[in-house]
Amino acid sequence: MEIKSSILYPFRELHTYLDIGIYKDLKSFYASFENKVIGHRIKSKNKDTHIFQIYKDSYSVNANDFVEFSFENHIKRTLDNLIYKSINMIQEGINICFINNKSVSNYLDKIEESSKLLLNNKSIQEFTFLNQHLKIIASEFKFYRNSENISEDNTIFKESPFKIKENIKRSFFYKLYDISQRHFIIDSDFSKEDFIDVFAEVETTKTIKFICSNSLMITFLEEIREAFTNFKPTSIEQSRRFLTKQGKFLTITNYDSSRQRLINGNPSSEVNNLSEDIQDIFEEIL
């Protein structure tokens, strides 16, 4: 019988995945390439990093003749879903502590101690990329150690020029920021709090500069529109809070032309992966 996570044991399902599930997925990942259909197209495989290079059916001049597939990308969605499910459990536990006048600090002490067991899992040694994903949990504990942050996390944003919907809390933007970093949408030097200010503050001097392609930029902006009632090309241009990769303010013209090119073209795997990751965090709050 599958053991479910709970507010007292938020990492159960993540533990199980790291113990068992990840190895099943690894076996499936290798089997998807080492077969009669694709096997002859393998250019290289790295068993240390679990990365395959597969020859393309066709390619243009000056382009690579292969495409790369990594095990990290293969399981990223599953892994991040389990991590954020654990975080949601912790947030629920904190809310229950508030309602019942229990010590949030004592609750966090117990949960944080159990989170350290994740780092002792044997899979951490084999799949080094796991450390980067698990840092999200440590970041959440650091945030919630400040009692002001706990109440702030449940604040309803009322002054945003983009009119943030009432069910969208600060934790949503933290997850969105993490996605922007994983997909290299914005520079890592831009802080989480400045990121939130751009979307939430009635006035700010902060601007988000995209460091990605226009197709990823527009996908990011289009996918997050559901969190607002006034997030559209007109309000985006008027806000002067978003810069293109070239350092120019995003206008209605660039927005619409980039969006049209995206609609008319074939979306890349990077675009599809970004879209799916953002949709996942919306599913958590619906």
Side-chain angles (χ1 to χ4, degrees), residues 35-276:
N35 55 58
K36 293 180 180 179
V37 178
I38 298 180
H40 65 284
R41 290 169 53 194
I42 295 175
K43 175 183 173 74
S44 69
K45 63 180 175 182
N46 187 321
K47 289 192 174 182
D48 293 324
T49 58
H50 305 293
I51 294 176
F52 278 85
Q53 290 182 344
I54 307 296
Y55 284 114
K56 297 177 180 176
D57 287 329
S58 61
Y59 60 94
S60 57
V61 178
N62 298 325
N64 288 332
D65 62 350
F66 65 90
V67 61
E68 197 167 86
F69 297 90
S70 70
F71 182 56
E72 178 181 6
N73 283 337
H74 180 71
I75 66 167
K76 181 170 67 68
R77 194 174 179 192
T78 297
L79 181 63
D80 287 349
N81 282 346
L82 288 170
I83 289 173
Y84 281 117
K85 184 173 184 178
S86 299
I87 291 172
N88 288 341
M89 287 287 181
I90 296 170
Q91 291 171 344
E92 184 179 342
I94 289 171
N95 290 336
I96 290 175
C97 286
F98 264 104
I99 293 170
N100 295 287
N101 295 316
K102 301 291 184 181
S103 170
V104 172
S105 180
N106 288 346
Y107 171 72
L108 288 176
D109 285 343
K110 178 178 179 180
I111 302 304
E112 188 169 14
E113 194 61 34
S114 69
S115 74
K116 294 175 182 177
L117 296 176
L118 292 170
L119 301 180
N120 296 327
N121 194 287
K122 62 177 181 177
S123 60
I124 301 295
Q125 304 302 318
E126 183 171 351
F127 310 105
T128 55
F129 62 79
L130 290 174
N131 285 289
Q132 193 62 35
H133 291 267
L134 293 177
K135 281 182 181 179
I136 297 172
I137 295 174
S139 176
E140 290 293 320
F141 277 116
K142 183 178 180 181
F143 174 77
Y144 282 123
R145 283 298 177 185
N146 184 331
S147 60
E148 291 182 0
N149 286 342
I150 297 171
S151 58
E152 184 181 27
D153 184 52
N154 290 294
T155 300
I156 296 174
F157 299 102
K158 295 181 178 179
E159 304 300 328
S160 168
F162 305 118
K163 301 189 186 313
I164 301 171
K165 293 180 180 178
E166 289 192 0
N167 63 322
I168 302 296
K169 304 297 175 62
R170 188 167 292 265
S171 56
F172 168 84
F173 288 104
Y174 275 99
K175 294 171 186 177
L176 191 61
Y177 177 86
D178 289 335
I179 287 174
S180 75
Q181 294 301 303
R182 292 203 305 273
H183 290 271
F184 304 102
I185 302 297
I186 64 173
D187 198 289
S188 59
D189 291 336
F190 198 69
S191 73
K192 285 187 178 182
E193 292 305 321
D194 288 344
F195 179 82
I196 294 177
D197 282 354
V198 169
F199 293 102
E201 291 299 314
V202 62
E203 292 184 7
T204 182
T205 59
K206 305 298 181 183
T207 56
I208 289 177
K209 181 181 179 181
F210 293 96
I211 60 172
C212 58
S213 65
N214 283 352
S215 58
L216 283 175
M217 174 185 71
I218 293 301
T219 298
F220 182 82
L221 295 174
E222 282 287 290
E223 290 293 344
I224 67 175
R225 288 180 69 172
E226 189 179 344
F228 311 86
T229 59
N230 187 41
F231 196 71
K232 49 193 176 183
T234 304
S235 57
I236 288 172
E237 178 182 289
Q238 291 172 349
S239 73
R240 295 177 69 82
R241 300 185 184 196
F242 302 94
L243 297 169
T244 65
K245 188 176 181 178
Q246 292 73 33
K248 297 180 180 179
F249 284 109
L250 184 56
T251 64
I252 296 173
T253 300
N254 336 77
Y255 192 107
D256 286 342
S257 60
S258 296
R259 180 172 54 183
Q260 199 58 47
R261 283 195 297 272
L262 185 63
I263 292 171
N264 294 336
N266 293 318
S268 65
S269 58
E270 289 86 357
V271 165
N272 288 332
N273 289 337
L274 174 60
S275 178
E276 288 174 0

